[in-house]
C-alpha cells in the first residue's frame, strides 16, 4: 500500500505594517502568506506572523504593540535606516532578528547634503527670495573648496556624505562611536567642531547621541559655521539651535529631520533666521520605494533559504555594526 505524500507545509506568514503606496511583493506570491495591519490591528495580528515588514517606518506602533501577549515574529525588517521608532526593551531582549534598509539612502542623502552646503555657500535662499521680490542685488558668495567639514556618524550614510563633500574640495573629518583608521572618536568632536565650516549630523539615535547637539556644542562652533541634520531629529536640542541662530552663534543651519514630524504650522522654528527646513526628504529620490521593496524581497529570499541575513541590527546599539 502506497503511503500518501504529506502536503507541503504552509508558507510563512508575512505581516506588513501598511503605508501608502503598498510595497510591491509580487515575487513572493505562493512563497509567503501576506497579511496587512495598521496601527490599530497590529497588536492582534503580531502573534500569528513569522515575519514583520515595517513599511510604515514613521509609525511607533511596533514599539507599542510588541510587549503584548503571544508569540512574536522571528524576523522584523524596517524600510528605513533608523530603528529607534520600533525598538523597545522587549524586542531588544528577544531572539527576533531585526534588519534595516541600509544601503538604499546613502548616496541620495549625501547628494542632498552637498546641495544644502552649496545652497548656503552660494546664498541661494536669498537669491530666490530677491527674485520673488523682483530685486536685483549683487552679492559675493563663499567658495566651498578649501573649507572644512565635520561629519558626525561613521556609518554608510556618513561615509557617503564625507566622500561627496571631499569631491567638492572640502577637507572632511568623520566622527564615529570609536576611533579607528579614518574615523575620529567622540573625544575629538569638540576640537573638530571648533575648526569646521560645515557640521553634518548623520548619526543613529541612541542613548549616547540623543540631544548631543545642544547649546554647549553650538557654542563651540565658529560664528561662520553652518549645521546640517540628516540623522534623527532628537540628535538636536531644537530650542538651543534656534537660540544659536537668533544670537548668531552660528551662521546658518538646515534640518531635514525634526523631533516631531510633521512640523506644526505654528512652530517657532519656521521663523528662525537662516534656518532651512525640509520635510524629511533627503533620501527619498524617484523610485526609492521600489528600491526598498526589492531590497526586502531579496532579504526574504535569503531568510526563506536559511541563509544569513544582511543588514542585521545590533539591537542593543541601535544600528548595524561593523562600520
Amino acid at each position: 500500500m502506497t503511503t500518501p505524500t504529506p502536503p507541503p507545509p504552509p508558507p510563512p506568514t508575512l505581516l506588513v505594517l501598511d503605508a501608502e503606496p503598498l510595497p510591491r511583493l509580487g515575487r513572493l506570491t505562493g512563497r509567503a502568506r501576506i497579511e496587512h495591519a495598521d496601527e490599530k490591528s497590529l497588536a492582534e495580528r503580531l502573534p500569528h506572523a513569522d515575519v514583520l515588514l515595517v513599511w510604515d517606518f514613521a509609525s511607533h506602533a511596533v514599539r507599542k504593540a510588541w510587549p503584548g501577549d503571544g508569540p512574536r515574529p522571528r524576523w522584523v525588517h524596517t524600510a528605513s535606516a533608523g530603528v529607534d521608532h520600533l525598538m523597545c526593551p522587549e524586542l531588544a531582549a528577544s531572539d527576533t532578528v531585526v534588519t534595516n534598509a541600509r544601503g538604499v539612502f546613502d548616496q541620495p542623502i549625501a547628494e542632498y547634503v552637498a546641495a544644502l552646503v552649496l545652497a548656503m555657500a552660494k546664498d541661494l535662499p536669498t537669491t530666490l527670495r530677491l527674485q520673488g521680490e523682483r530685486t536685483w542685488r549683487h552679492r559675493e558668495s563663499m567658495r566651498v573648496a578649501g573649507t572644512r567639514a565635520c561629519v558626525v556618524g561613521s556609518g554608510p550614510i556618513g561615509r557617503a556624505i564625507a566622500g561627496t563633500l571631499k569631491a567638492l574640495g572640502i577637507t572632511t573629518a568623520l566622527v564615529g562611536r570609536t576611533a579607528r583608521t579614518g574615523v575620529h572618536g567622540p573625544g575629538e568632536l569638540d576640537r573638530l567642531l571648533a575648526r569646521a565650516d560645515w557640521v553634518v549630523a548623520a548619526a543613529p539615535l541612541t542613548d549616547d547621541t540623543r540631544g548631543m547637539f545642544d547649546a554647549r556644542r553650538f557654542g563651540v562652533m565658529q560664528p561662520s559655521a553652518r549645521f546640517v541634520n540628516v540623522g534623527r531629529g532628537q540628535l538636536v536640542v531644537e530650542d538651543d539651535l534656534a537660540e544659536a541662530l537668533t544670537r548668531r552663534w552660528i551662521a546658518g543651519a538646515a534640518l531635514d529631520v525634526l523631533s516631531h514630524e510633521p512640523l506644526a504650522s505654528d512652530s517657532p522654528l519656521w521663523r528662525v533666521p537662516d534656518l532651512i527646513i525640509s520635510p524629511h526628504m533627503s533620501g527619498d529620490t524617484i523610485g526609492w520605494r521600489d528600491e526598498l521593496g526589492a531590497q526586502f524581497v531579496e532579504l526574504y529570499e535569503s531568510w526563506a533559504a536559511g541563509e544569513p541575513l544582511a543588514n542585521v541590527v545590533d539591537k542593543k546599539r541601535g544600528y548595524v555594526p561593523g562600520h
Side-chain angles (χ1 to χ4, degrees), residues 108-125 141-151 160-162 164-172 196-201 224-230 251-255 276 278 282:
I109 292 178
E111 293 172 3
Y112 199 87
V113 170
L116 288 170
V117 166
L118 290 170
M120 288 189 280
K122 305 307 177 184
D123 198 20
L124 292 186
S141 64
M142 177 182 180
R143 179 184 295 184
V144 298
T147 60
R148 297 176 181 270
C150 175
V151 179
I161 292 169
T164 301
L165 295 183
K166 288 177 182 177
L168 295 175
I170 299 174
T171 301
T172 305
D197 301 288
W198 313 98
V199 177
V200 183
S224 59
R226 270 94 167 182
F227 173 77
V228 177
N229 186 15
V230 290
L255 300 178
I276 299 172
S278 55
S282 60

Side-chain angles (χ1 to χ4, degrees), residues 279-301:
H280 204 148
M281 58 181 283
S282 60
D284 302 346
T285 52
I286 295 170
W288 66 286
R289 290 185 178 87
D290 290 339
E291 288 186 53
L292 289 172
Q295 181 189 55
F296 173 74
V297 169
E298 292 179 4
L299 287 170
Y300 184 92
E301 291 172 342

Side-chain angles (χ1 to χ4, degrees), residues 174-222:
L174 197 58
V175 179
R177 188 177 65 89
T178 58
R180 54 199 183 277
T181 303
V183 178
H184 298 270
E188 298 183 76
L189 178 57
D190 285 355
R191 177 181 66 82
L192 295 169
L193 292 180
R195 303 174 62 194
D197 301 288
W198 313 98
V199 177
V200 183
L205 181 62
T206 67
D207 290 341
D208 292 332
T209 62
R210 188 182 303 273
M212 68 183 301
F213 289 100
D214 56 9
R216 190 188 71 79
R217 285 263 161 74
F218 292 124
V220 169
M221 298 178 195
Q222 302 181 79

Side-chain angles (χ1 to χ4, degrees), residues 55-309:
W55 191 247
D56 185 358
F57 52 80
S59 170
H60 292 98
V62 176
R63 191 162 59 190
K64 297 175 182 177
W66 195 271
D69 297 328
R72 290 294 180 259
R74 292 173 282 161
W75 169 36
V76 174
H77 176 78
T78 179
S80 61
V83 299
D84 52 280
H85 60 291
L86 57 87
M87 293 305 297
C88 61
E90 292 82 1
L91 174 54
S94 72
D95 294 331
T96 297
V97 175
V98 176
T99 57
N100 71 355
R102 179 188 184 195
V104 172
F105 301 107
D106 306 354
Q107 194 56 38
I109 292 178
E111 293 172 3
Y112 199 87
V113 170
L116 288 170
V117 166
L118 290 170
M120 288 189 280
K122 305 307 177 184
D123 198 20
L124 292 186
T126 301
T127 296
L128 295 174
R129 177 177 59 81
L130 293 175
Q131 180 179 347
E133 298 171 359
R134 301 183 183 182
T135 300
W136 181 280
R137 183 185 303 163
H138 180 269
R139 304 175 323 282
E140 295 178 346
S141 64
M142 177 182 180
R143 179 184 295 184
V144 298
T147 60
R148 297 176 181 270
C150 175
V151 179
V152 183
S154 60
I157 292 174
R159 295 200 303 270
I161 292 169
T164 301
L165 295 183
K166 288 177 182 177
L168 295 175
I170 299 174
T171 301
T172 305
L174 197 58
V175 179
R177 188 177 65 89
T178 58
R180 54 199 183 277
T181 303
V183 178
H184 298 270
E188 298 183 76
L189 178 57
D190 285 355
R191 177 181 66 82
L192 295 169
L193 292 180
R195 303 174 62 194
D197 301 288
W198 313 98
V199 177
V200 183
L205 181 62
T206 67
D207 290 341
D208 292 332
T209 62
R210 188 182 303 273
M212 68 183 301
F213 289 100
D214 56 9
R216 190 188 71 79
R217 285 263 161 74
F218 292 124
V220 169
M221 298 178 195
Q222 302 181 79
S224 59
R226 270 94 167 182
F227 173 77
V228 177
N229 186 15
V230 290
R232 307 299 288 174
Q234 294 86 350
L235 299 177
V236 179
V237 180
E238 291 168 351
D239 288 345
D240 290 357
L241 173 62
E243 182 177 13
L245 289 166
T246 302
R247 293 178 177 270
R248 301 195 177 279
W249 295 348
I250 61 174
L255 300 178
D256 184 57
V257 287
L258 286 301
S259 295
H260 300 284
E261 298 178 1
L263 185 63
S265 60
D266 60 352
S267 170
L269 284 175
W270 292 113
R271 299 186 296 276
V272 173
D274 299 307
L275 175 61
I276 299 172
I277 295 174
S278 55
H280 204 148
M281 58 181 283
S282 60
D284 302 346
T285 52
I286 295 170
W288 66 286
R289 290 185 178 87
D290 290 339
E291 288 186 53
L292 289 172
Q295 181 189 55
F296 173 74
V297 169
E298 292 179 4
L299 287 170
Y300 184 92
E301 291 172 342
S302 296
W303 177 82
E307 299 171 354
L309 285 170

